[in-house]
PDB file of all heavy atoms in Angstrom:
ATOM      1  N   ILE A  99       2.067   9.145 -10.016  1.00  0.00           N
ATOM      2  CA  ILE A  99       3.269   9.678  -9.381  1.00  0.00           C
ATOM      3  C   ILE A  99       4.507   9.310 -10.199  1.00  0.00           C
ATOM      4  O   ILE A  99       4.832   8.136 -10.375  1.00  0.00           O
ATOM      5  CB  ILE A  99       3.424   9.135  -7.940  1.00  0.00           C
ATOM      6  CG1 ILE A  99       2.156   9.384  -7.126  1.00  0.00           C
ATOM      7  CG2 ILE A  99       4.650   9.745  -7.261  1.00  0.00           C
ATOM      8  CD1 ILE A  99       1.759  10.831  -6.992  1.00  0.00           C
ATOM      9  N   CYS A 100       5.202  10.328 -10.694  1.00  0.00           N
ATOM     10  CA  CYS A 100       6.407  10.131 -11.505  1.00  0.00           C
ATOM     11  C   CYS A 100       7.503   9.465 -10.671  1.00  0.00           C
ATOM     12  O   CYS A 100       7.690   9.805  -9.497  1.00  0.00           O
ATOM     13  CB  CYS A 100       6.896  11.472 -12.038  1.00  0.00           C
ATOM     14  SG  CYS A 100       8.385  11.364 -13.051  1.00  0.00           S
ATOM     15  N   LYS A 101       8.213   8.540 -11.284  1.00  0.00           N
ATOM     16  CA  LYS A 101       9.272   7.811 -10.571  1.00  0.00           C
ATOM     17  C   LYS A 101      10.570   8.609 -10.489  1.00  0.00           C
ATOM     18  O   LYS A 101      11.517   8.175  -9.863  1.00  0.00           O
ATOM     19  CB  LYS A 101       9.540   6.473 -11.270  1.00  0.00           C
ATOM     20  CG  LYS A 101       8.334   5.544 -11.309  1.00  0.00           C
ATOM     21  CD  LYS A 101       7.889   5.148  -9.935  1.00  0.00           C
ATOM     22  CE  LYS A 101       8.683   3.961  -9.487  1.00  0.00           C
ATOM     23  NZ  LYS A 101       8.254   3.355  -8.266  1.00  0.00           N
ATOM     24  N   HIS A 102      10.613   9.781 -11.093  1.00  0.00           N
ATOM     25  CA  HIS A 102      11.827  10.597 -11.043  1.00  0.00           C
ATOM     26  C   HIS A 102      11.882  11.381  -9.738  1.00  0.00           C
ATOM     27  O   HIS A 102      12.755  11.139  -8.910  1.00  0.00           O
ATOM     28  CB  HIS A 102      11.873  11.535 -12.259  1.00  0.00           C
ATOM     29  CG  HIS A 102      13.063  12.422 -12.284  1.00  0.00           C
ATOM     30  ND1 HIS A 102      12.958  13.781 -12.461  1.00  0.00           N
ATOM     31  CD2 HIS A 102      14.374  12.160 -12.162  1.00  0.00           C
ATOM     32  CE1 HIS A 102      14.176  14.312 -12.435  1.00  0.00           C
ATOM     33  NE2 HIS A 102      15.058  13.357 -12.261  1.00  0.00           N
ATOM     34  N   LEU A 103      10.931  12.282  -9.540  1.00  0.00           N
ATOM     35  CA  LEU A 103      10.930  13.110  -8.325  1.00  0.00           C
ATOM     36  C   LEU A 103       9.582  13.157  -7.622  1.00  0.00           C
ATOM     37  O   LEU A 103       9.388  13.955  -6.717  1.00  0.00           O
ATOM     38  CB  LEU A 103      11.378  14.539  -8.655  1.00  0.00           C
ATOM     39  CG  LEU A 103      12.851  14.691  -9.020  1.00  0.00           C
ATOM     40  CD1 LEU A 103      13.142  16.136  -9.412  1.00  0.00           C
ATOM     41  CD2 LEU A 103      13.745  14.282  -7.869  1.00  0.00           C
ATOM     42  N   GLY A 104       8.637  12.345  -8.053  1.00  0.00           N
ATOM     43  CA  GLY A 104       7.357  12.283  -7.367  1.00  0.00           C
ATOM     44  C   GLY A 104       6.341  13.320  -7.791  1.00  0.00           C
ATOM     45  O   GLY A 104       5.353  13.540  -7.086  1.00  0.00           O
ATOM     46  N   CYS A 105       6.545  13.963  -8.928  1.00  0.00           N
ATOM     47  CA  CYS A 105       5.549  14.910  -9.435  1.00  0.00           C
ATOM     48  C   CYS A 105       4.367  14.127 -10.010  1.00  0.00           C
ATOM     49  O   CYS A 105       4.431  12.924 -10.192  1.00  0.00           O
ATOM     50  CB  CYS A 105       6.170  15.783 -10.524  1.00  0.00           C
ATOM     51  SG  CYS A 105       7.552  16.790  -9.924  1.00  0.00           S
ATOM     52  N   THR A 106       3.297  14.839 -10.330  1.00  0.00           N
ATOM     53  CA  THR A 106       2.103  14.206 -10.879  1.00  0.00           C
ATOM     54  C   THR A 106       2.133  14.255 -12.399  1.00  0.00           C
ATOM     55  O   THR A 106       2.304  15.323 -12.985  1.00  0.00           O
ATOM     56  CB  THR A 106       0.838  14.920 -10.363  1.00  0.00           C
ATOM     57  OG1 THR A 106       0.855  14.880  -8.932  1.00  0.00           O
ATOM     58  CG2 THR A 106      -0.410  14.232 -10.856  1.00  0.00           C
ATOM     59  N   VAL A 107       1.944  13.101 -13.025  1.00  0.00           N
ATOM     60  CA  VAL A 107       1.942  13.028 -14.489  1.00  0.00           C
ATOM     61  C   VAL A 107       0.535  13.245 -15.023  1.00  0.00           C
ATOM     62  O   VAL A 107      -0.458  12.990 -14.338  1.00  0.00           O
ATOM     63  CB  VAL A 107       2.495  11.671 -15.000  1.00  0.00           C
ATOM     64  CG1 VAL A 107       3.918  11.450 -14.536  1.00  0.00           C
ATOM     65  CG2 VAL A 107       1.619  10.516 -14.590  1.00  0.00           C
ATOM     66  N   ASP A 108       0.449  13.747 -16.256  1.00  0.00           N
ATOM     67  CA  ASP A 108      -0.821  13.963 -16.938  1.00  0.00           C
ATOM     68  C   ASP A 108      -0.802  13.227 -18.265  1.00  0.00           C
ATOM     69  O   ASP A 108       0.249  13.085 -18.894  1.00  0.00           O
ATOM     70  CB  ASP A 108      -1.068  15.455 -17.200  1.00  0.00           C
ATOM     71  CG  ASP A 108      -1.509  16.183 -15.959  1.00  0.00           C
ATOM     72  OD1 ASP A 108      -2.329  15.625 -15.214  1.00  0.00           O
ATOM     73  OD2 ASP A 108      -1.017  17.304 -15.726  1.00  0.00           O
ATOM     74  N   TRP A 109      -1.986  12.789 -18.702  1.00  0.00           N
ATOM     75  CA  TRP A 109      -2.098  12.150 -20.011  1.00  0.00           C
ATOM     76  C   TRP A 109      -2.131  13.237 -21.076  1.00  0.00           C
ATOM     77  O   TRP A 109      -2.911  14.182 -20.977  1.00  0.00           O
ATOM     78  CB  TRP A 109      -3.353  11.290 -20.069  1.00  0.00           C
ATOM     79  CG  TRP A 109      -3.591  10.667 -21.406  1.00  0.00           C
ATOM     80  CD1 TRP A 109      -4.580  10.980 -22.274  1.00  0.00           C
ATOM     81  CD2 TRP A 109      -2.820   9.635 -22.013  1.00  0.00           C
ATOM     82  NE1 TRP A 109      -4.481  10.196 -23.381  1.00  0.00           N
ATOM     83  CE2 TRP A 109      -3.399   9.357 -23.257  1.00  0.00           C
ATOM     84  CE3 TRP A 109      -1.689   8.904 -21.628  1.00  0.00           C
ATOM     85  CZ2 TRP A 109      -2.897   8.398 -24.130  1.00  0.00           C
ATOM     86  CZ3 TRP A 109      -1.195   7.955 -22.483  1.00  0.00           C
ATOM     87  CH2 TRP A 109      -1.791   7.702 -23.719  1.00  0.00           C
ATOM     88  N   GLU A 110      -1.285  13.098 -22.060  1.00  0.00           N
ATOM     89  CA  GLU A 110      -1.168  14.029 -23.177  1.00  0.00           C
ATOM     90  C   GLU A 110      -0.938  15.461 -22.703  1.00  0.00           C
ATOM     91  O   GLU A 110      -1.398  16.411 -23.327  1.00  0.00           O
ATOM     92  CB  GLU A 110      -2.396  13.938 -24.091  1.00  0.00           C
ATOM     93  CG  GLU A 110      -2.526  12.580 -24.747  1.00  0.00           C
ATOM     94  CD  GLU A 110      -3.666  12.495 -25.747  1.00  0.00           C
ATOM     95  OE1 GLU A 110      -4.608  13.318 -25.679  1.00  0.00           O
ATOM     96  OE2 GLU A 110      -3.612  11.588 -26.587  1.00  0.00           O
ATOM     97  N   GLY A 111      -0.221  15.604 -21.595  1.00  0.00           N
ATOM     98  CA  GLY A 111       0.111  16.930 -21.094  1.00  0.00           C
ATOM     99  C   GLY A 111       1.221  17.564 -21.908  1.00  0.00           C
ATOM    100  O   GLY A 111       2.007  16.893 -22.559  1.00  0.00           O
ATOM    101  N   GLY A 112       1.301  18.875 -21.899  1.00  0.00           N
ATOM    102  CA  GLY A 112       2.362  19.597 -22.597  1.00  0.00           C
ATOM    103  C   GLY A 112       2.295  19.454 -24.107  1.00  0.00           C
ATOM    104  O   GLY A 112       3.303  19.593 -24.790  1.00  0.00           O
ATOM    105  N   GLY A 113       1.121  19.129 -24.649  1.00  0.00           N
ATOM    106  CA  GLY A 113       0.973  19.002 -26.095  1.00  0.00           C
ATOM    107  C   GLY A 113       1.491  17.691 -26.661  1.00  0.00           C
ATOM    108  O   GLY A 113       1.618  17.555 -27.875  1.00  0.00           O
ATOM    109  N   ASN A 114       1.791  16.726 -25.840  1.00  0.00           N
ATOM    110  CA  ASN A 114       2.305  15.434 -26.296  1.00  0.00           C
ATOM    111  C   ASN A 114       1.157  14.450 -26.463  1.00  0.00           C
ATOM    112  O   ASN A 114       0.323  14.307 -25.579  1.00  0.00           O
ATOM    113  CB  ASN A 114       3.308  14.881 -25.282  1.00  0.00           C
ATOM    114  CG  ASN A 114       4.491  15.799 -25.118  1.00  0.00           C
ATOM    115  OD1 ASN A 114       5.330  15.869 -25.990  1.00  0.00           O
ATOM    116  ND2 ASN A 114       4.525  16.546 -24.024  1.00  0.00           N
ATOM    117  N   LYS A 115       1.111  13.761 -27.559  1.00  0.00           N
ATOM    118  CA  LYS A 115       0.016  12.841 -27.863  1.00  0.00           C
ATOM    119  C   LYS A 115       0.371  11.420 -27.446  1.00  0.00           C
ATOM    120  O   LYS A 115       1.510  10.976 -27.627  1.00  0.00           O
ATOM    121  CB  LYS A 115      -0.302  12.856 -29.370  1.00  0.00           C
ATOM    122  CG  LYS A 115      -0.827  14.192 -29.854  1.00  0.00           C
ATOM    123  CD  LYS A 115      -2.191  14.467 -29.284  1.00  0.00           C
ATOM    124  CE  LYS A 115      -2.723  15.797 -29.763  1.00  0.00           C
ATOM    125  NZ  LYS A 115      -3.891  16.218 -29.057  1.00  0.00           N
ATOM    126  N   ASN A 116      -0.611  10.720 -26.905  1.00  0.00           N
ATOM    127  CA  ASN A 116      -0.517   9.291 -26.555  1.00  0.00           C
ATOM    128  C   ASN A 116       0.612   8.973 -25.581  1.00  0.00           C
ATOM    129  O   ASN A 116       1.221   7.898 -25.652  1.00  0.00           O
ATOM    130  CB  ASN A 116      -0.369   8.430 -27.807  1.00  0.00           C
ATOM    131  CG  ASN A 116      -1.601   8.504 -28.669  1.00  0.00           C
ATOM    132  OD1 ASN A 116      -2.718   8.612 -28.159  1.00  0.00           O
ATOM    133  ND2 ASN A 116      -1.414   8.461 -29.968  1.00  0.00           N
ATOM    134  N   ARG A 117       0.903   9.878 -24.681  1.00  0.00           N
ATOM    135  CA  ARG A 117       1.929   9.635 -23.667  1.00  0.00           C
ATOM    136  C   ARG A 117       1.551  10.356 -22.382  1.00  0.00           C
ATOM    137  O   ARG A 117       0.861  11.370 -22.390  1.00  0.00           O
ATOM    138  CB  ARG A 117       3.302  10.140 -24.121  1.00  0.00           C
ATOM    139  CG  ARG A 117       3.881   9.341 -25.240  1.00  0.00           C
ATOM    140  CD  ARG A 117       5.310   9.672 -25.448  1.00  0.00           C
ATOM    141  NE  ARG A 117       5.833   8.807 -26.505  1.00  0.00           N
ATOM    142  CZ  ARG A 117       6.951   9.021 -27.132  1.00  0.00           C
ATOM    143  NH1 ARG A 117       7.693  10.065 -26.831  1.00  0.00           N
ATOM    144  NH2 ARG A 117       7.361   8.196 -28.062  1.00  0.00           N
ATOM    145  N   TYR A 118       2.059   9.793 -21.279  1.00  0.00           N
ATOM    146  CA  TYR A 118       1.972  10.495 -20.002  1.00  0.00           C
ATOM    147  C   TYR A 118       3.143  11.459 -19.959  1.00  0.00           C
ATOM    148  O   TYR A 118       4.256  11.138 -20.384  1.00  0.00           O
ATOM    149  CB  TYR A 118       2.066   9.513 -18.832  1.00  0.00           C
ATOM    150  CG  TYR A 118       0.866   8.603 -18.713  1.00  0.00           C
ATOM    151  CD1 TYR A 118       0.929   7.292 -19.159  1.00  0.00           C
ATOM    152  CD2 TYR A 118      -0.319   9.052 -18.145  1.00  0.00           C
ATOM    153  CE1 TYR A 118      -0.162   6.451 -19.045  1.00  0.00           C
ATOM    154  CE2 TYR A 118      -1.411   8.225 -18.029  1.00  0.00           C
ATOM    155  CZ  TYR A 118      -1.326   6.920 -18.487  1.00  0.00           C
ATOM    156  OH  TYR A 118      -2.408   6.108 -18.379  1.00  0.00           O
ATOM    157  N   PHE A 119       2.898  12.656 -19.412  1.00  0.00           N
ATOM    158  CA  PHE A 119       3.909  13.700 -19.383  1.00  0.00           C
ATOM    159  C   PHE A 119       4.077  14.214 -17.967  1.00  0.00           C
ATOM    160  O   PHE A 119       3.104  14.533 -17.290  1.00  0.00           O
ATOM    161  CB  PHE A 119       3.479  14.845 -20.306  1.00  0.00           C
ATOM    162  CG  PHE A 119       4.346  16.067 -20.214  1.00  0.00           C
ATOM    163  CD1 PHE A 119       5.643  16.055 -20.683  1.00  0.00           C
ATOM    164  CD2 PHE A 119       3.850  17.239 -19.651  1.00  0.00           C
ATOM    165  CE1 PHE A 119       6.439  17.192 -20.598  1.00  0.00           C
ATOM    166  CE2 PHE A 119       4.630  18.370 -19.569  1.00  0.00           C
ATOM    167  CZ  PHE A 119       5.929  18.342 -20.054  1.00  0.00           C
ATOM    168  N   CYS A 120       5.324  14.294 -17.514  1.00  0.00           N
ATOM    169  CA  CYS A 120       5.633  14.877 -16.213  1.00  0.00           C
ATOM    170  C   CYS A 120       6.214  16.267 -16.443  1.00  0.00           C
ATOM    171  O   CYS A 120       7.288  16.395 -17.047  1.00  0.00           O
ATOM    172  CB  CYS A 120       6.629  14.000 -15.451  1.00  0.00           C
ATOM    173  SG  CYS A 120       7.061  14.716 -13.852  1.00  0.00           S
ATOM    174  N   PRO A 121       5.538  17.318 -15.985  1.00  0.00           N
ATOM    175  CA  PRO A 121       5.980  18.676 -16.261  1.00  0.00           C
ATOM    176  C   PRO A 121       7.217  19.127 -15.466  1.00  0.00           C
ATOM    177  O   PRO A 121       7.833  20.119 -15.820  1.00  0.00           O
ATOM    178  CB  PRO A 121       4.762  19.524 -15.896  1.00  0.00           C
ATOM    179  CG  PRO A 121       4.035  18.726 -14.883  1.00  0.00           C
ATOM    180  CD  PRO A 121       4.276  17.289 -15.237  1.00  0.00           C
ATOM    181  N   CYS A 122       7.578  18.408 -14.428  1.00  0.00           N
ATOM    182  CA  CYS A 122       8.698  18.860 -13.585  1.00  0.00           C
ATOM    183  C   CYS A 122      10.027  18.884 -14.349  1.00  0.00           C
ATOM    184  O   CYS A 122      10.754  19.864 -14.298  1.00  0.00           O
ATOM    185  CB  CYS A 122       8.828  17.969 -12.360  1.00  0.00           C
ATOM    186  SG  CYS A 122       7.459  18.147 -11.219  1.00  0.00           S
ATOM    187  N   HIS A 123      10.350  17.800 -15.028  1.00  0.00           N
ATOM    188  CA  HIS A 123      11.612  17.722 -15.768  1.00  0.00           C
ATOM    189  C   HIS A 123      11.408  17.108 -17.144  1.00  0.00           C
ATOM    190  O   HIS A 123      12.296  16.447 -17.683  1.00  0.00           O
ATOM    191  CB  HIS A 123      12.648  16.926 -14.975  1.00  0.00           C
ATOM    192  CG  HIS A 123      13.056  17.602 -13.719  1.00  0.00           C
ATOM    193  ND1 HIS A 123      12.574  17.223 -12.488  1.00  0.00           N
ATOM    194  CD2 HIS A 123      13.871  18.662 -13.495  1.00  0.00           C
ATOM    195  CE1 HIS A 123      13.091  18.021 -11.557  1.00  0.00           C
ATOM    196  NE2 HIS A 123      13.866  18.896 -12.133  1.00  0.00           N
ATOM    197  N   PHE A 124      10.211  17.267 -17.691  1.00  0.00           N
ATOM    198  CA  PHE A 124       9.868  16.789 -19.026  1.00  0.00           C
ATOM    199  C   PHE A 124      10.099  15.288 -19.176  1.00  0.00           C
ATOM    200  O   PHE A 124      10.740  14.830 -20.101  1.00  0.00           O
ATOM    201  CB  PHE A 124      10.635  17.573 -20.101  1.00  0.00           C
ATOM    202  CG  PHE A 124      10.289  19.030 -20.095  1.00  0.00           C
ATOM    203  CD1 PHE A 124      11.113  19.945 -19.475  1.00  0.00           C
ATOM    204  CD2 PHE A 124       9.113  19.473 -20.684  1.00  0.00           C
ATOM    205  CE1 PHE A 124      10.780  21.282 -19.444  1.00  0.00           C
ATOM    206  CE2 PHE A 124       8.773  20.811 -20.658  1.00  0.00           C
ATOM    207  CZ  PHE A 124       9.611  21.722 -20.036  1.00  0.00           C
TER     208      PHE A 124
END
Side-chain angles (χ1 to χ4, degrees):
I99 307 301
C100 180
K101 299 297 274 188
H102 179 231
L103 290 176
C105 298
T106 303
V107 300
D108 283 318
W109 176 249
E110 296 185 339
N114 299 286
K115 295 292 180 191
N116 295 326
R117 291 192 177 165
Y118 292 102
F119 172 69
C120 179
C122 292
H123 294 102
F124 298 99

